[in-house]
Amino acid sequence: MADVLVSDFVAKQTSEERARERRSTEMKLLGSQEVVLELTDTNDHVYFEGPAGTGKSYLITQSARRFNRESRKTLVACWNVLMADELQRFVGGLPNVDVADLNSLMLQLIGIPANPADAPHEWYTRELPERAIAVLRDKPHLGGYEAICIDEFQDVAGNLLLLELIFALAGTGRPAGTKLVFAGDSRQQIMRRVDEHVNPFAIAKSLIPDLVHVRVRRNCRTVPGLTSAVESTLRQQLGYTRHRVAKSVPGGLSTVDIVNGNEAGALVAALRDLLQHHAPEDIVVLSPFAEKRSLAGRLLARPEKSQDERWLRKQLQEEGLPGKIRWRSVFKFKGLDADAVVLTDLGPEAKDFVAAQKLEWSDLLYVALTRAKYRCVLLKPEQVSS
């Protein structure tokens, strides 16, 4: 009877169960930030500022939910297309809330389906905003938003025409009478040349005198072990006052050396290790380069040369292929996050490319490294430091 009643048991979690548990914990940590909304509830105009992972996007979407419950016609917007898709996932479908990236919104206002082929920089920064503003001036009912929430505000702060557009979308041409909630991180200005960097809050404050500055400094996203490693890599503090994620949660930053120029082999080694802990759809491969020049893009564009490349073709997400591991440029993935990130193309060519664009390499690294929530892997070229 003792042998029947007393046995040895071993409890194990499947990868799916671990992922569900992580998601549940993440939402609880983000939910704890809602107290910030309660403290600022009586302010019509609020600016949330903080480093990556402090829940700024969550505060934007929860603000939109509150405005929706008050039956306010609400716009949630940003510049980044992929970020707009993410915001759509959280608040899209609410009866009083529209979600859009600002470029698509302006195209819709002027009645054309897409940007002109090979459109110059002037089109995005001057001509398109001016035309959209003119339409709103003649037809203010096309805007008429009672609440406007802008995420990644640092992307638009340097262009006063975009700020004029935001006010025009309220149908008033000025902030009075419209609820405004902005969120930004001045260190993530990688869409703008270094000599064009601005103080996003100061610009917004100059136009909205009663704008309330709320600093969020508690890390709600990244495991402390990874955060410490990122700070060590960047040789600077990220600005957190405390971590809501428990120190016991596993994760961190590691490197895989590229030996004899075998980038594909290094990427395979990194991904195989990450797949032991995370589902393929929770992993993203990032590069400073756009699709054609990135490591993943180059590998998928050419015939397979090795067994490693054949394996990668089965894992990387591409139209017509079964893979689920996403690969993006750092610029496109800004504002988003993933359980695990592999950072590729860290050699001299990428640094020269970033310098030629008059961008700051350390800022790009900051954005790239802080996309990861649990694990980040750097593919390290021979004799090249991060």
Side-chain angles (χ1 to χ4, degrees), residues 6 11 24 61 90 104 113-114 227 323-324 345 363:
V6 181
S24 176
T61 57
F90 283 102
S104 296
T227 297
K324 296 181 179 180
D345 302 308
D363 288 346

Side-chain angles (χ1 to χ4, degrees), residues 110-173:
I110 69 172
I112 65 174
N115 297 301
D118 301 321
H121 182 66
E122 283 279 303
W123 164 261
Y124 298 98
T125 59
R126 183 185 57 80
E127 185 176 348
L128 180 57
E130 285 180 347
R131 290 177 60 178
I133 291 167
V135 170
L136 288 168
R137 192 177 295 123
D138 293 338
K139 302 176 181 179
H141 64 277
L142 294 179
Y145 289 103
E146 301 167 281
I148 298 177
C149 304
I150 306 294
D151 202 3
E152 299 289 298
F153 183 76
Q154 73 278 351
D155 292 344
V156 303
N159 188 340
L160 292 178
L161 282 173
L162 292 179
L163 301 181
E164 185 179 343
L165 171 75
I166 291 169
F167 296 150
L169 286 165
T172 61

Side-chain angles (χ1 to χ4, degrees), residues 16-212:
E16 291 80 8
E17 289 170 335
R18 287 196 298 270
R20 282 196 297 270
E21 184 177 336
R22 285 196 295 263
R23 299 293 173 265
S24 176
T25 301
E26 289 166 9
M27 292 310 299
K28 287 178 182 177
L29 295 177
L30 287 171
S32 65
Q33 289 288 71
E34 282 205 58
V35 66
V36 178
L37 296 180
E38 295 174 5
L39 294 173
T40 59
D41 191 49
T42 58
N43 302 108
D44 288 339
H45 307 139
V46 180
Y47 187 99
F48 295 115
E49 181 186 32
T54 50
K56 299 184 297 298
S57 296
Y58 178 82
L59 292 171
I60 286 287
T61 57
Q62 291 306 304
S63 295
R65 287 184 175 277
R66 290 183 175 221
F67 297 144
N68 177 69
R69 290 195 292 269
E70 296 170 0
S71 297
R72 295 179 183 272
K73 184 183 179 183
T74 301
L75 172 67
V76 178
C78 61
W79 186 258
N80 189 329
V81 175
L82 292 181
M83 186 70 210
D85 291 341
E86 185 75 358
L87 295 171
Q88 178 74 30
R89 189 168 69 86
F90 283 102
V91 293
L94 295 178
N96 303 300
V97 177
D98 294 331
V99 183
D101 67 272
L102 288 172
N103 181 259
S104 296
L105 181 60
M106 290 187 287
L107 291 174
Q108 181 181 345
L109 284 169
I110 69 172
I112 65 174
N115 297 301
D118 301 321
H121 182 66
E122 283 279 303
W123 164 261
Y124 298 98
T125 59
R126 183 185 57 80
E127 185 176 348
L128 180 57
E130 285 180 347
R131 290 177 60 178
I133 291 167
V135 170
L136 288 168
R137 192 177 295 123
D138 293 338
K139 302 176 181 179
H141 64 277
L142 294 179
Y145 289 103
E146 301 167 281
I148 298 177
C149 304
I150 306 294
D151 202 3
E152 299 289 298
F153 183 76
Q154 73 278 351
D155 292 344
V156 303
N159 188 340
L160 292 178
L161 282 173
L162 292 179
L163 301 181
E164 185 179 343
L165 171 75
I166 291 169
F167 296 150
L169 286 165
T172 61
R174 59 187 187 279
T178 304
K179 294 277 190 178
L180 298 174
V181 181
F182 301 156
D185 176 3
S186 59
R187 286 198 59 192
Q188 296 194 46
Q189 296 187 66
I190 62 171
M191 312 297 284
R192 187 179 296 117
R193 298 183 340 183
V194 173
D195 58 358
E196 295 177 343
H197 281 194
V198 298
N199 183 327
F201 172 73
I203 288 178
K205 181 74 171 177
S206 69
L207 300 172
I208 311 168
D210 65 343
L211 186 65
V212 176

